[in-house]
Structure formats: C-alpha cells, structure tokens
Amino acid sequence: KANDSIIYHIELVHDFSMLPTFLQQLGYGRTQKICIVTDSNVAPLYARDVQDLLEKEFDTVILHTFEAGEHNKNLETVNTLYQTLIEQHFDRQDLLIALGGGVVGDLTGFTAATYLRGIDFIQVPTTLLSQVDSSIGGKTGVDFMQYKNMVGAFYQPKLVYMNLSVLQSLPSRQIVSGMGEIIKHGLIKDDAYYEWLMAHHDAILALEPAVMEEMIARSCDIKREVVEHDPTEKGERALLNFGHTIGHAIEKLCGFSLYHGECVGLGILAAAYLSQKQGNLTKEQLAGISQCLAAFGFQTQIGGISPDAVLSATKSDKKMVGSQVKFILLHTIGDAYIYRELSDAQILDGIRYVCRA
Ligand code: NAD
Ligand code: ZN
C-alpha cells in the first residue's frame, strides 16, 4: 500500500482505530499539535471519536468546525482557520487533519499548503466522492467570486486514511454522486472494471463492505496511476475530465440543484453519445452506458435547461484551449483520448442528447 513517489500512503480500513498508529509510523509524536478540521454535518457524527482516539497519543488535539457546504469553501473560511492555528501557536512541526468530504479536504489542504509556507496534512475523506477522487492527487483550493477552485495549490497529504464505514451515514444521493466518478474511471481506463461495476450494482448500492472495498481500491488505483504519470495536468490527467466539460456546464446552469457527480453522469452520457457519433462506440455500447447510469440511480435526461446555454457554459470552462473546447472522448470502453476538433454543432448535438429546454 505504501508508496514512496508523489503519492504517500493510502490506507483502506473499516474504522478509525488505526489512525494514531499510522501517524506514529509516519514519525509524528506526542508533542506535535493536531488540528482536526471538519464541517457541521460531519462533526457531530465522527469528530468526537477521532479526537478521543488521537488524544490518547497526542497532547494537543483541537477541533475546528465550519458550516457545511460548497458556499463555505472560500477564503473567509480559510481565514478563520488561520486564526485558530495562530491562536493555538501551530508551527511547522504540527499537523492538520481534514475530516470530511471534498469541501473539507480541498480547504484544509489549501490551508496546509499556505500556512507558514506549508505544514503537513492528512486526508480522512468521508464521502464516496472524496474517497475515490478528491483526496487523491494533491489538488487543493477554494472557490473565489463565482469561480470554482479559482485559488489553490498542488499539495500532497502525508496520508489518506479511508474509513469505509462512514459511508453508511452518507445520504444516498451522495453515493450516486460518487458513482459518477467511479463509472468514469471504468470507462476511461478499465473495461473489465466497468463490467464489474454493472454486475455488482445492487451490492454497491447496498454498500456491502467487501464490494465497496474492492471498488474503492480499484478506483483509487486508477486515479493514483493517472495522477502519478501527470501530477500537474499537462497531459494524461486531463482524461479524468471525461464527462466534465458538459457536466460542469449543466452543474452551473441547474443552479447547483444537482450534485456534481449527478451532472457528471449526464456529461458522461453526452460524451459517450459523441464517441458513438465518431464511430468509436456501437449503439449497443452507448445504450449499455445509459442503462448502467440508470441502474446506479442517475437521471439520463434533464429538462428545463437550454442546450444553447449549456454550450456557452462549456466555453467558459477552464478546460478551454484557445477558443477550442478540449473534449475527452472514448476510443472504446476503457480507453479515452483528448479530442480538440469538435465543432459547436457537434457539441450541441451531444448536449441535446441529455438536455431538453
Ligand atoms: P462535500 O464535502 O460538500 O460533502 C457532501 C455532503 O455530505 C456535505 O453536506 C457533508 O457535510 C456531508 N458529509 C460528508 N461526509 C459525510 C458522512 N460520512 N455522513 C453524512 N454526511 C456526510 O462534497 P463532496 O461531494 O465530498 O466533494 C465535493 C467537493 O470536492 C467540491 O468542492 C469539489 O470541487 C471538490 N473536488 C475536488 C477534487 C480534487 O481533486 N481536489 C476532485 C473532485 C471534487
Ligand atoms: Zn468530478
């Protein structure tokens, strides 16, 4: 499990009990101060347990909680965290622990990257999306003005500690949202994994521990492999944006009434349709992807959003190169590539496959 390259240790377990031991193995000792950063939903569920466990081995373990929600992933929340750290005299030896979903992870990672020019941090991701996606790869940051992830840094955690049992308290729509990234992993990198997901959808939705463990491990491996080859997104890492160009645009236009992964599901279907139009996928494969998404609880159509508005929103996306949208398509299931030559008319056709005004 341990890995010496840019990616640290990822541990997959079923409770919090080993966290102090792993920290000791990494060389942290009693006098190192720890600040657990979490949000208002996760705090009442898990913060006490984690704090109690750590207090047995570390002298100072404080808790910093902010109000849950993407709208708090901003510099004001970072400011209050800096203040806590300064008041409690945190220095370069000390440690932050991000206990929560992607919002907590991104914000804590950014704070760790910038406080005193960088202090160590640990990811303890508690949503499916953060376990298979945001906790791995070292992207940290916050939103600024109306722009998502506008301010940030590449900064790696020293450990990613995944307690799979916390998924039991996650609302089911958040599980679906995480599945968007997971189905994406199969489609861009591993057709056998994609087939496995389809065959196990009941067990996955029932959160059966052995199946969840296998799935999360496989998805983490795919994400880790891609980002190890291309940590700062100069090439291959862009494949992880499969389904995200149209997905992000829908996410903005639906006023964030759908979760990120739910929009990615629609974006995946649109991109699969465009891949079929290129002659890469068969109609049966496209229908299979649609059925797979539906089986996991995704909607495969969205009404009330203008396809033209989605098209213009794709152009304000960060994935734009010059005036051309960088689009990820499939050669076949399990093999994705970057395609730059899609015309507006083609993209609009793809958007119309999933969006109705
Ligand atoms: P989130 O952190 O907002 O969590 C979703 C909701 O679930 C929140 O209300 C949270 O309080 C609650 N929650 C978390 N864990 C829970 C649990 N175990 N039980 C019950 N409720 C729980 O959202 P998310 O989907 O985890 O992450 C989305 C964020 O991640 C976005 O800000 C996105 O930009 C970011 N992201 C970052 C990367 C990256 O590479 N850094 C990748 C993908 C997404
Ligand atoms: Zn995503």
Side-chain angles (χ1 to χ4, degrees):
K1 285 184 197 168
N3 190 312
D4 292 333
S5 57
I6 61 152
I7 322 264
Y8 43 90
H9 311 251
I10 299 175
E11 299 287 350
L12 247 147
V13 291
H14 296 276
D15 59 33
F16 288 119
S17 64
M18 288 299 287
L19 183 57
T21 310
F22 288 144
L23 293 183
Q24 286 165 333
Q25 283 172 4
L26 287 169
Y28 300 107
R30 188 156 273 292
T31 55
Q32 253 130 8
K33 292 195 268 295
I34 296 178
C35 177
I36 302 167
V37 183
T38 192
D39 73 24
S40 52
N41 293 332
V42 179
L45 294 169
Y46 303 113
R48 189 70 255 163
D49 285 2
V50 174
Q51 194 171 11
D52 284 350
L53 268 168
L54 292 171
E55 277 175 343
K56 294 193 179 113
E57 307 298 337
F58 297 87
D59 291 338
T60 309
V61 184
I62 64 165
L63 187 64
H64 181 96
T65 304
F66 63 91
E67 196 199 312
E70 180 74 29
H71 61 287
N72 293 310
K73 196 177 109 174
N74 58 35
L75 291 175
E76 285 79 78
T77 308
V78 172
N79 272 344
T80 64
L81 181 50
Y82 286 151
Q83 281 170 31
T84 298
L85 298 175
I86 291 167
E87 281 162 18
Q88 303 291 325
H89 309 291
F90 271 63
D91 64 28
R92 277 232 190 96
Q93 271 56 260
D94 299 328
L95 180 65
L96 304 189
I97 296 184
L99 173 69
V103 167
V104 170
D106 282 11
L107 183 135
T108 307
F110 178 70
T111 306
T114 48
Y115 182 72
L116 296 174
R117 300 194 183 85
I119 66 171
D120 289 355
F121 91 112
I122 306 293
Q123 290 271 20
V124 184
T126 62
T127 62
L128 183 58
L129 184 133
S130 59
Q131 293 188 343
V132 298
D133 192 354
S134 63
S135 66
I136 303 168
K139 281 190 183 176
T140 73
V142 295
D143 305 334
F144 189 77
M145 293 162 66
Q146 72 270 45
Y147 304 106
K148 265 192 68 131
N149 304 323
M150 196 63 192
V151 175
F154 284 100
Y155 196 66
Q156 301 290 346
K158 296 294 176 194
L159 168 71
V160 184
Y161 186 98
M162 299 196 196
N163 170 1
L164 304 193
S165 75
V166 300
L167 299 177
Q168 301 289 340
S169 60
L170 204 60
S172 57
R173 268 186 72 199
Q174 296 285 359
I175 298 287
V176 174
S177 185
M179 287 309 301
E181 309 292 348
I182 290 169
I183 294 168
K184 175 192 80 179
H185 289 151
L187 288 173
I188 63 170
K189 277 283 158 191
D190 187 343
D191 60 332
Y193 180 42
Y194 167 73
E195 298 289 335
W196 181 91
L197 288 169
M198 287 211 284
H200 291 83
H201 73 268
D202 284 337
I204 292 165
L205 291 176
L207 307 182
E208 278 181 23
V211 176
M212 294 304 279
E213 181 167 346
E214 177 163 356
M215 177 179 83
I216 291 170
R218 285 173 88 163
S219 264
C220 288
D221 280 348
I222 290 173
K223 169 111 195 215
R224 172 155 73 176
E225 226 176 271
V226 172
V227 300
E228 271 181 340
H229 286 151
D230 179 20
T232 55
E233 197 164 328
K234 298 200 164 60
E236 184 189 348
R237 188 167 181 163
L239 300 182
L240 293 168
N241 292 325
F242 178 64
H244 279 63
T245 306
I246 290 175
H248 271 149
I250 293 173
E251 194 175 355
K252 268 188 233 160
L253 287 167
C254 74
F256 295 93
S257 62
L258 289 181
Y259 295 154
H260 172 73
E262 295 177 312
C263 300
V264 169
L266 290 161
I268 285 174
L269 191 54
Y273 169 81
L274 290 169
S275 306
Q276 188 259 314
K277 283 281 153 183
Q278 294 289 315
N280 301 344
L281 295 184
T282 65
K283 287 201 164 129
E284 290 69 33
Q285 284 173 317
L286 174 62
I289 291 171
S290 180
Q291 281 157 18
C292 174
L293 289 164
F296 279 104
F298 287 87
Q299 60 187 82
T300 53
Q301 286 276 314
I302 183 169
I305 291 186
S306 139
D308 291 296
V310 176
L311 178 65
S312 2
T314 60
K315 297 186 171 188
S316 61
D317 204 87
K318 273 187 295 181
K319 271 142 229 106
M320 228 174 74
V321 179
S323 62
Q324 205 102 46
V325 176
K326 204 203 270 181
F327 222 93
I328 314 302
L329 295 181
L330 298 178
H331 278 305
T332 182
I333 290 176
D335 185 12
Y337 65 108
I338 302 171
Y339 192 76
R340 291 170 209 275
E341 286 96 48
L342 282 178
S343 67
D344 282 4
Q346 286 172 307
I347 297 173
L348 194 58
D349 187 32
I351 294 168
R352 286 210 176 99
Y353 190 68
V354 297
C355 278
R356 300 279 140 83

